[in-house]
Amino acid sequence: MILSGTRLDVMRFVGEKIDASVDEFLKPIETNWQPADLLPDSTKESFLDEVKLLRESTRELSYDYVAVLVGDTITEEALPTYESWLMDMEGIDQGSSTGWTRWIRSWTAEENRHGDLLNKFLYLSGRVNMRAMEVSTQYLIADGFDIGTGRDPYRNFIYTSFQELATNVSHRRTATLAKQAGCNQLSKICGVIASDEMRHAKAYKDFVRQIFEVDPSEMMLAFEDMMRKKIVMPAHFLRESGVKIGQTFSHFSDAAQRLGVYTTYDYIEIAEALVAEWQIDTMTDLNDAGQRARDYVMALPARLRRIAERTKVPTLEYPFSWIAG
């Protein structure tokens, strides 16, 4: 079925099944994990002993690792911006408590646990200048961002599909590195967060799939547009006190690439995975513009690989204000 209407018609169509998506891709609040489940219990006599063990377990984490974990935490804590951005999409009625607003609020509620958990762990670790980190978090929320999607749900769902996959990769890698450093508690924390991100990625990919079924050419054009702009992670807007937007992210990205937590090749592989997921190569019912957009998207990963092969990752460490000592 092809819908020949507007974005609003398509959002209504996909939104008819949104309650099923909430049930499939999100977990009931009462049975979901909470940050307190994964941290020392301050009500117990053993609390201080557990905190001491936690602090000792973080000693082998590298400077780059701590910097990346702080950047990930700040990004997770900027959820007020992400929720307000999605709530402003075409087809969203903020005054409603059902449909798309239910999805966005429920998704935000799950995501909110991530920053809360990581923040508390970093506070207890003693490895982080918490005030400097908190300043960066406040900046990220106060500055806002423009991710190139506007109010268009098509572009926003391309972005969230990509971004959720990217955060899954990042948290999975930090989990592995934490385990290698003997920090099993942090490894578990990063692992459960990564699991959430993958569930959320599946949801947003499914929204895009449904839109492709009813409005393929416009969805393809949105996909092409986002890939031409390049998907910019929210962390791109990170900044420290006295530092311009973009500079801190550049150093954060360098650290992530040195560690292998999130690299240029991961970006390319995510693009390839989305092309395969949505079966772009066999897409039919495209108009001329849609066919040209498909050709661009199909050829992009190979072109990005050629560029990546010529790119060198800086080896110079940057003195982040976030790192204690």
Side-chain angles (χ1 to χ4, degrees):
M1 176 179 66
I2 304 297
L3 293 179
S4 57
T6 64
R7 297 285 204 269
L8 292 176
D9 295 323
V10 174
M11 286 292 281
R12 289 191 193 100
F13 171 78
V14 178
E16 289 174 359
K17 295 180 283 186
I18 200 66
D19 286 341
S21 295
V22 171
D23 294 338
E24 180 179 0
F25 298 115
L26 301 178
K27 292 186 176 182
I29 293 173
E30 292 298 329
T31 58
N32 211 348
W33 65 263
Q34 297 298 332
D37 300 330
L38 297 155
L39 294 165
D41 187 344
S42 62
T43 67
K44 293 183 177 179
E45 291 295 326
S46 60
F47 174 67
L48 293 179
D49 291 333
E50 291 178 26
V51 171
K52 183 178 179 181
L53 290 173
L54 183 156
R55 292 166 71 91
E56 290 175 352
S57 73
T58 66
R59 288 178 181 173
E60 298 303 316
L61 299 175
S62 70
Y63 187 96
D64 275 348
Y65 183 95
V66 176
V68 168
L69 194 64
V70 169
D72 285 348
T73 303
I74 294 169
T75 304
E76 294 283 2
E77 290 193 298
L79 272 170
T81 300
Y82 314 148
E83 179 178 16
S84 63
W85 190 276
L86 291 175
M87 278 291 194
D88 193 46
M89 287 190 301
E90 275 189 81
I92 305 297
D93 177 10
Q94 294 197 47
S96 170
S97 59
T98 59
W100 282 113
T101 55
R102 181 185 176 214
W103 167 265
I104 293 170
R105 289 167 181 157
S106 298
W107 168 81
T108 301
E110 277 206 354
E111 286 278 339
N112 186 69
R113 292 143 53 250
H114 302 169
D116 189 17
L117 174 56
L118 290 170
N119 183 300
K120 288 174 180 173
F121 182 90
L122 289 174
Y123 172 74
L124 294 174
S125 76
R127 294 289 306 273
V128 176
N129 179 334
M130 292 301 295
R131 191 178 196 285
M133 187 183 90
E134 290 157 0
V135 165
S136 289
T137 300
Q138 186 170 354
Y139 268 130
L140 187 56
I141 297 172
D143 290 338
F145 61 71
D146 181 358
I147 53 178
T149 58
R151 301 184 64 235
D152 179 16
Y154 292 16
R155 286 168 173 78
N156 273 288
F157 292 156
I158 291 290
Y159 180 87
T160 47
S161 297
F162 201 106
Q163 187 264 340
E164 295 281 18
L165 289 173
T167 51
N168 168 263
V169 169
S170 179
H171 289 303
R172 277 194 295 109
R173 300 268 174 77
T174 53
T176 299
L177 291 172
K179 188 172 185 179
Q180 291 173 355
C183 195
N184 293 329
Q185 185 176 8
L186 179 57
S187 179
K188 184 176 181 180
I189 285 171
C190 294
V192 297
I193 292 173
S195 179
D196 275 3
E197 304 290 10
M198 180 53 73
R199 279 190 294 106
H200 299 164
K202 289 177 180 178
Y204 286 112
K205 288 189 295 181
D206 190 60
F207 298 157
V208 173
R209 177 192 60 78
Q210 292 181 59
I211 296 172
F212 264 127
E213 290 178 357
V214 296
D215 197 5
S217 293
E218 285 298 310
M219 189 71 246
M220 190 69 75
L221 288 168
F223 192 12
E224 176 204 23
D225 181 59
M226 291 305 296
M227 297 312 296
R228 282 187 184 277
K229 292 173 179 174
K230 190 175 182 182
I231 303 291
V232 177
M233 293 296 104
H236 179 80
F237 302 90
L238 279 174
R239 65 171 164 138
E240 299 160 90
S241 181
V243 178
K244 293 181 180 179
I245 293 176
Q247 292 179 353
T248 299
F249 172 75
S250 177
H251 296 296
F252 164 78
S253 179
D254 290 345
Q257 296 226 49
R258 283 194 295 269
L259 284 174
V261 166
Y262 185 73
T263 70
T264 301
Y265 289 101
D266 292 316
Y267 182 96
I268 297 167
E269 288 173 6
I270 290 171
E272 290 175 328
L274 292 177
V275 166
E277 173 86 19
W278 295 322
Q279 301 180 342
I280 300 299
D281 59 333
T282 60
M283 194 75 64
T284 58
D285 295 320
L286 297 172
N287 58 26
D288 290 344
Q291 291 175 13
R292 289 192 296 272
R294 179 183 59 188
D295 292 343
Y296 173 83
V297 169
M298 291 291 297
L300 181 61
R303 184 164 66 84
L304 291 178
R305 283 188 185 279
R306 291 193 294 271
I307 296 171
E309 289 167 0
R310 301 192 297 269
T311 303
K312 293 183 179 180
V313 180
T315 57
L316 179 65
E317 287 191 355
Y318 166 80
F320 290 95
S321 64
W322 308 323
I323 313 299

